[in-house]
């Protein structure tokens, strides 16, 4: 396999969360660790022009998975609505998250985002 270089670029997608972009009083440790992933990614933006390695962070909001469904069920409908209201009131589909990740892989103009 070829090494990463400006002529043979490589893409890395770190999966963070929308929770890394704003405070989450109900999950402060989760929010802080996801914020760390975002800042780590931004700190590696310099690799794109020098080494041909584009590093991006994907920060999806709540996604329709079994894990999220169980978490929302555990807080009841009022609690679930309050939590979802923080990110627009709806769940993303897994397909939407995958499409966003693939855009970060394919789009050579994105680095450190």
């Amino acid at each position: 396999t070829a090494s990463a270089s400006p002529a043979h670029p490589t893409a890395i997608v770190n999966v963070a969360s929308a929770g890394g972009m704003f405070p989450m009083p109900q999950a402060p440790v989760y929010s802080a660790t996801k914020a760390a992933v975002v800042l780590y990614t931004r700190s590696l933006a310099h690799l794109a022009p020098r080494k041909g390695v584009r590093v991006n962070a994907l920060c999806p909001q709540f996604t329709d998975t079994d894990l999220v469904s169980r978490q929302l069920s555990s807080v009841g409908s009022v609690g679930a609505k309050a939590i979802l209201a923080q990110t627009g009131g709806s769940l993303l589909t897994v397909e939407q998250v995958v499409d966003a990740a693939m855009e970060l892989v394919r789009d050579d103009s994105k680095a450190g985002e």
Side-chain angles (χ1 to χ4, degrees):
T1 62
S3 297
S5 70
H8 300 285
T10 296
I12 296 172
V13 178
N14 293 322
V15 179
S17 167
M21 305 299 290
F22 59 87
M24 292 182 66
Q26 74 277 12
V29 173
Y30 177 84
S31 183
T33 58
K34 295 303 184 174
V37 171
V38 171
L39 289 176
Y40 174 70
T41 300
R42 289 180 179 164
S43 296
L44 296 176
H46 71 281
L47 294 175
R50 292 188 1 208
K51 301 283 187 179
V53 178
R54 293 182 303 101
V55 185
N56 289 289
L58 181 63
C59 300
Q61 64 189 41
F62 294 107
T63 304
D64 191 8
T65 63
D66 289 341
L67 175 67
V68 170
S69 294
R70 285 192 305 271
Q71 290 173 336
L72 294 177
S73 293
S74 73
V75 297
S77 63
V78 173
K81 285 181 184 179
I83 290 170
L84 289 175
Q86 296 174 15
T87 58
S90 63
L91 294 173
L92 292 175
T93 65
V94 171
E95 291 79 14
Q96 288 172 307
V97 176
V98 170
D99 288 346
M102 293 309 299
E103 179 182 342
L104 292 173
V105 169
R106 291 185 190 116
D107 188 341
D108 290 340
S109 71
K110 297 188 182 296
E113 296 185 20

